Amino acid sequence: MAISKVKVGESHERLMFALGETIRIHTSVSPMSVEAIAGVLAFCAGAAIGRGAKGRQERRQLREMAVANIDFGLEAMVSSMANTSLILPDGMQ
């Protein structure tokens, strides 16, 4: 498995939008800090890796891929195509 950024296709975009919308709805009722939201998403990524990895080596590679995509997400939020409301509720941008 090569460590790379996730190639965003139509299903990826729908999942990212659904996660962002779920977070927006949830945090409008139960406000959360950016740290709490990031922690929950990191936990979910770890759970997905733990569930899907077939061994220690694959788990390490998936973890490195997740970190690379965190960096990619940070870069995307700085660019002109950023839409921070996708993840963060109003007032937390």
Side-chain angles (χ1 to χ4, degrees):
M1 172 191 309
I3 298 169
S4 62
K5 295 175 183 171
V6 171
K7 292 183 178 159
V8 178
E10 187 178 332
S11 65
H12 294 96
E13 288 180 7
R14 284 194 311 263
L15 179 58
M16 287 188 284
F17 179 77
L19 291 170
E21 188 64 9
T22 299
I23 291 168
R24 186 190 66 75
I25 291 167
H26 176 77
T27 56
S28 68
V29 175
S30 297
M32 295 175 69
S33 67
V34 173
E35 293 84 3
I37 295 168
V40 168
L41 292 172
F43 176 85
C44 292
I49 290 169
R51 183 105 152 111
K54 293 180 175 71
R56 185 175 169 203
Q57 180 69 10
E58 188 173 348
R59 192 169 46 246
R60 183 185 63 76
Q61 289 175 332
L62 286 168
R63 185 178 176 146
E64 288 178 15
M65 184 268 305
V67 170
N69 279 287
I70 289 171
D71 293 338
F72 182 60
L74 289 169
E75 292 170 16
M77 289 298 106
V78 173
S79 74
S80 62
M81 63 186 237
N83 179 4
T84 57
S85 65
L86 178 70
I87 295 296
L88 299 177
D90 292 335
M92 294 183 72
Q93 301 173 13

